[in-house]
Structure formats: C-alpha cells, structure tokens
Amino acid sequence: MSDREAFVARFGGVFEHSPWVAERAYDRAAAAGLTAGSVHSALCNAFRAASPAERLAVLKAHPDLAGKLAIAGKLTADSRAEQASAGLDRLSPEEHQRFIALNKAYTKKFGFPFIIAVKGLTKDDILAAFETRIDNSKEEEFETACAQVEQIARLRLRSMLPGDENA
C-alpha cells in the first residue's frame, strides 16, 4: 500500500463517505505532517476547492439526525457515536417524531440533511438550531452546513490524532 493509499484509508471517512477529499488533500497533508491541525487544514482546503456539486454530495452523504439509518443501525461508527453523545439514540416517541418532521421539512427545502456538529450539544440544543436554521436562505444554509461538516471533521481528527488540541 502506498503512502497515499494509507492516508486515504485512514482519513477517507473523516468527511462522511467522501474519500475523494482525503485523496485531494494528501500532497498538502503529507508535506505538513500528520497532526490533527495539518490534516484538518488540508482536508478543508480540498473540500473548499471542490465544486459546489461535489460539496453538495458531501452534505448529502450525511445521515439524518435520529433518522431511519440510526433506527436500522446503519450509521457509520463515527455518526453513531456522535448522535449517541447528544442523546439522539434515547429520544421519546414524541421527540423522535419531531426530528422526523424537521428532517423532512429541512431536506425538502434545502436538498440535503440537517448537519450539525453534535459533540457537546443536547437534543434540545440541536432542536433549537434545527428550528432556527430552517428559516435560512439556501445559500446561507449551504455555507452553514459546509462549516458544520468541517467542524465534524475537526472533532473526528482530534479523536484520531490525540494530543493536537489546537486543531
């Protein structure tokens, strides 16, 4: 396995189901060294340099919060742990129905699932953000969702490359 292939194998899932981000980031990340900060910077630069359609595909690769993939147990390990950390795996039936309704309305309006870095948030924090952000314009929400994807990547990298808290 080449260094590039090893890098993509290790970091290809940081941006949900989008190993092309790691592939495009490899040269810059390899030159800077493998710290959470340098890898995050390289990945985000590759993500930002992508076409709007490619970035939209990354957004669409994310699962709905407390959605059907979570119920079926088909989330990635990272997504499952992230959603569980916010209590989304322990919703009451009423809360679950609220998430389903918001997911449906949000996806209908924006064309991609609601994305938020859930670490450190409660289900109430997430619902409040959901209800606020659904009123954004498509352009505002696309940029907000992209920023959230980058924050999720930062958090994932910190767990993969501990000791680099400045990432």
Side-chain angles (χ1 to χ4, degrees):
M1 180 181 289
S2 72
D3 289 346
R4 179 181 297 275
E5 291 168 331
F7 180 86
V8 173
R10 184 171 183 192
F11 301 111
V14 171
F15 278 69
E16 195 90 6
H17 298 294
S18 303
W20 63 265
V21 177
E23 174 67 33
R24 292 181 191 176
Y26 172 75
D27 291 332
R28 182 178 174 150
L34 294 183
T35 66
S38 65
V39 173
H40 183 258
S41 178
L43 291 171
C44 289
N45 281 329
F47 178 62
R48 288 183 206 129
S51 71
E54 289 172 315
R55 292 194 305 153
L56 178 60
V58 172
L59 300 182
K60 287 181 173 183
H62 281 261
D64 286 339
L65 293 176
K68 60 184 174 248
L69 290 178
I71 293 167
K74 295 186 178 182
L75 294 175
T76 65
D78 285 328
S79 289
R80 183 173 46 257
E82 291 158 3
Q83 290 196 29
S85 76
L88 299 184
D89 60 340
R90 299 177 301 279
L91 297 175
S92 71
E94 296 78 18
E95 291 168 330
H96 189 255
Q97 287 304 314
R98 184 71 184 133
F99 269 95
I100 289 172
L102 284 167
N103 281 326
K104 186 175 180 179
Y106 183 95
T107 302
K108 182 178 181 181
K109 180 174 181 180
F110 298 112
F112 53 86
F114 178 77
I115 300 167
I116 189 167
V118 300
K119 185 171 181 155
L121 301 179
T122 67
K123 61 187 172 192
D124 294 328
D125 297 330
I126 296 164
L127 281 170
F130 225 140
E131 291 172 350
T132 298
R133 286 175 47 193
I134 204 160
D135 291 330
N136 284 348
S137 70
K138 286 187 177 188
E139 296 77 19
E140 287 174 313
E141 195 53 26
F142 183 82
E143 291 306 317
T144 299
C146 287
Q148 289 296 308
V149 164
E150 292 179 2
Q151 178 62 19
I152 291 165
R154 177 185 309 280
L155 295 167
R156 288 178 178 179
L157 285 166
R158 281 185 181 163
S159 71
M160 296 171 78
L161 297 167
D164 189 6
E165 294 304 316
N166 295 321

